[in-house]
């Protein structure tokens, strides 16, 4: 932690984080790091739709047909048929009444919080929730209480102290740092009937559940008390975000959220790309089957040699090195197999850093074997 003296003499605290070196993604499952081509098991493009030919064709065609940008808010003159089509397609994909588009994946939770400010007695937030949820909690105009990470018992204890309350629970669905999933069914069981859940399902959308509808589908719970927010830059490989829910929620956002009304929507080629990506993920069930097979292969092999990782359909797992020497050894082993070492320092993760691996549907068996060989050899 660094202490910086900022404008006016105020003290600011800054984590020791830096921007990572530039990488060029090539051949869908590799990156070029300086002069080396390495297999890429990082990022969040779980189906590699960001480089899918149909998605790229849709974006290129929209540039020619529509240009880049509407250059206005959707509540003035910036609405467009592509935005409305994408919203309809997302509502259909997730089987919800309405989808309200956002310009990026960070904004949907802010839109919800601005629209519903003053309607809840408390905001109850997982202590390791994504930063956009922490920012959203500050906009709700109510006390904010943290509960222990993925701990339904601690949540129940807090709820028990809040008499006659109407809380809003804020949590990730799938936590991106280690691939763990929020115990959504247990949360709903201990929350009062009038409570609601703001579920940031950025990494669960498209990945979890029989149809890729995310954490609620994965657990088979009703959406009646859930507001699900998603991003289009992870499983869908495009860009933008959305709020999923009933029509009255959409009306509240359009009329009460400055993050919606004062914001220029996402560029039109990206909207066209997202439409193509949603269609692919809805119709091509082989993609999800391939992802599940790849995840099962890697996790099964690693669990068999003693790795403590969740045996789940989540394409993410992490390894925290014992010390600096161990981290360097793992980096060397990965590079020896021509794998980019995804060692990161990220808010919510171990402060000394960790390896975060992401499996995709497009990795080949040879690439998966290389990853297993590099990691299993450390045991």
């Amino acid at each position: 932690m660094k202490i910086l003296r900022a404008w006016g003499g105020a003290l600011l605290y800054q984590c020791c984080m830096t921007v990572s070196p530039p990488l060029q993604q090539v051949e869908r499952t590799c990156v070029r790091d300086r002069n080396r081509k390495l297999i890429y098991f990082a990022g969040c493009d779980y189906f590699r739709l960001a480089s899918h030919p149909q998605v790229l064709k849709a974006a290129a065609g929209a540039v020619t047909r529509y240009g880049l940008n509407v250059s206005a808010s959707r509540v003035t003159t910036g609405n467009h048929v592509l935005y409305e089509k994408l919203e309809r397609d997302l509502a259909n994909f997730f089987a919800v009444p309405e989808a309200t588009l956002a310009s990026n994946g960070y904004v949907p939770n802010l839109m919800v919080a601005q629209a519903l400010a003053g309607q809840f007695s408390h905001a109850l937030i997982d202590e390791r929730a994504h930063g956009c949820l922490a920012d959203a909690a500050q906009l709700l105009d109510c006390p904010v209480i943290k509960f222990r990470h993925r701990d339904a018992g601690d949540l129940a204890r807090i709820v028990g102290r809040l008499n006659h309350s109407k809380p809003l629970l804020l949590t990730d669905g799938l936590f991106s740092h280690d691939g763990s999933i929020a115990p959504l069914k247990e949360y709903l069981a201990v929350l009062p009937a009038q409570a609601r859940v703001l579920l940031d399902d950025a990494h669960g959308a498209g990945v979890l559940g029989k149809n890729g509808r995310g954490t609620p589908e994965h657990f088979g719970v009703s959406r009646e008390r859930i507001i699900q927010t998603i991003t289009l830059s992870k499983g869908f490989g495009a860009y933008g975000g959305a709020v999923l829910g009933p029509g009255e929620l959409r009306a509240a956002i359009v009329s009460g959220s400055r993050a919606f009304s004062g914001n220029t929507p996402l560029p039109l080629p990206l909207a066209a790309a997202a439409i193509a990506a949603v269609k692919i993920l809805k119709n091509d069930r082989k993609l999800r089957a391939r992802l599940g097979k790849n995840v099962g292969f890697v996790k099964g092999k690693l669990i068999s040699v003693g790795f403590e990782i969740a045996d789940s359909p989540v394409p993410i797992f992490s390894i925290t090195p014992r010390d600096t020497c161990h981290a360097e050894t793992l980096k060397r082993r990965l590079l020896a197999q021509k794998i980019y070492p995804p060692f990161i320092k990220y808010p919510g993760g171990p402060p000394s850093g960790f390896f975060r691996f992401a499996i995709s549907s497009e990795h080949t068996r040879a690439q998966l074997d290389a990853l297993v060989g590099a990691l299993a050899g450390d045991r």
Side-chain angles (χ1 to χ4, degrees), residues 96-100 223-224 226-228 243-253:
V96 295
E98 296 279 357
T100 306
R223 292 175 174 272
E224 184 178 356
I226 297 172
I227 301 168
Q228 184 182 18
V243 179
L244 310 176
E248 53 266 32
L249 175 61
R250 176 183 174 86
I253 289 171

Side-chain angles (χ1 to χ4, degrees), residues 279-345:
K279 182 178 180 180
I280 292 167
L281 203 51
K282 181 177 176 63
N283 295 330
D284 188 354
R285 293 189 173 271
K286 291 181 180 179
L287 276 177
R288 292 175 48 72
R290 251 191 342 260
L291 179 62
K293 184 177 181 180
N294 285 353
V295 170
F297 173 78
V298 172
K299 286 189 172 183
K301 290 288 188 181
L302 295 179
I303 290 171
S304 71
V305 295
F307 279 85
E308 295 181 3
I309 56 178
D311 185 11
S312 74
V314 175
I316 305 164
F317 66 94
S318 65
I319 295 174
T320 302
R322 296 184 296 272
D323 49 38
T324 302
C325 182
H326 184 211
E328 291 304 316
T329 298
L330 280 176
K331 288 179 184 178
R332 287 195 298 271
R333 294 189 64 86
L334 289 164
L335 286 171
Q337 294 285 349
K338 297 184 179 179
I339 297 171
Y340 177 80
F343 184 76
I344 61 174
K345 294 183 180 181

Side-chain angles (χ1 to χ4, degrees), residues 33-110:
D33 177 24
R34 293 175 284 268
N35 294 320
R36 299 174 297 182
K37 190 178 85 168
L38 302 172
I39 307 167
Y40 188 58
F41 288 104
C44 310
D45 189 4
Y46 305 119
F47 300 99
R48 294 301 193 262
L49 292 179
S51 56
H52 193 287
Q54 293 177 33
V55 175
L56 298 180
K57 181 180 179 181
V63 170
T64 302
R65 184 174 181 184
Y66 301 116
L68 290 176
N69 188 1
V70 293
S71 300
S73 165
R74 289 183 71 189
V75 301
T76 58
T77 58
N79 201 10
H80 196 277
V81 292
L82 286 183
Y83 303 141
E84 295 192 341
K85 175 168 175 48
L86 178 52
E87 287 175 333
R88 289 194 302 271
D89 289 353
L90 287 170
N92 179 268
F93 183 95
F94 288 95
V96 295
E98 296 279 357
T100 306
L101 199 60
S103 59
N104 60 61
Y106 198 96
V107 172
N109 295 311
L110 308 183

